[in-house]
Amino acid sequence: MAAEATSWQKEQVSRAYVHVLATQGGYTICDWNVDKDGVDVTLRSHGLMVDIQLKCTQSPRIVRGGYSFDLDVETYDKLRNPERSAPGHLALLIVPPDIGRWVTHQPESIVLACHGYWASLQGRGKANGSVTTAISLPEHQTLTVKAMGAMFDAARRLTNAIGREVD
C-alpha cells in the first residue's frame, strides 16, 4: 500500500520541479515564505514577472482531455484579478501514489517521476462555486520550459497593455 505524502512533501517536490524548469530556461525564481497573494513562486526574466500557485496531487481527477483541480475561491480570485502586474497561473503537479517512486537515482542522474500542467487564471470570470472552483488543466498544457516562455509572452502583453493605458 502506497503511503500518502504530506502536504509539505508535495509542496517541496512541486517547488523542485519548477526550480529545475526555471533553471533550464534561464529564468530566476523567487519563493515566497508567505502565500498572501495566492502565489508560491514568481519567475523573472528581463524585468517581466510570472506568478504561479503550485498544487500537487497523488490522485488527480482525470477529465476528458486533461485534469481538473478544485482551487479555493479566495486563491482563484487573487490569481484572476485583472489589476495584477504579473499574470497569475495555476500549476498542478502529479506524482505517483507511492512516494518511494517520486525520485529515481541513477549513476549519472536523478529522475523526478512527476509531470505538471498549467492554466492561466488572469482575467477569468467569477468562480462557479462559493468555496472552490474547478480549474481545467488540458493535457496539452504541460508545464515545461516552453510553457514558461508562453507565460512570459502573456506577461509581456499585459505589461504592454498597461503601458498603453498610462500614455
Side-chain angles (χ1 to χ4, degrees), residues 38-118:
V39 175
D40 289 315
V41 296
T42 298
L43 305 178
R44 289 196 66 141
S45 178
H46 305 291
L48 294 173
M49 295 186 297
V50 170
D51 288 336
I52 303 175
Q53 170 65 222
L54 301 170
K55 297 294 180 185
C56 181
T57 183
Q58 292 173 276
S59 52
R61 191 168 66 225
I62 300 169
V63 296
R64 188 177 194 171
Y67 300 93
S68 180
F69 184 83
D70 290 334
L71 184 64
D72 64 276
V73 170
E74 181 180 351
T75 300
Y76 175 77
D77 285 343
K78 290 175 180 175
L79 292 171
R80 73 180 186 96
N81 186 342
E83 294 185 5
R84 298 179 64 88
S85 61
H89 299 84
L90 171 67
L92 177 65
L93 278 292
I94 300 171
V95 293
D98 180 0
I99 192 171
R101 294 184 39 229
W102 288 13
V103 178
T104 303
H105 299 264
Q106 299 176 353
E108 296 181 7
S109 64
I110 292 176
V111 177
L112 288 178
C114 55
H115 50 111
Y117 300 88
W118 66 283

Side-chain angles (χ1 to χ4, degrees), residues 131-148:
V131 178
T132 63
T133 190
I135 306 298
S136 173
L137 299 118
E139 65 184 348
H140 69 272
Q141 286 192 192
T142 54
L143 185 57
T144 62
V145 173
K146 184 177 178 180
M148 288 179 171

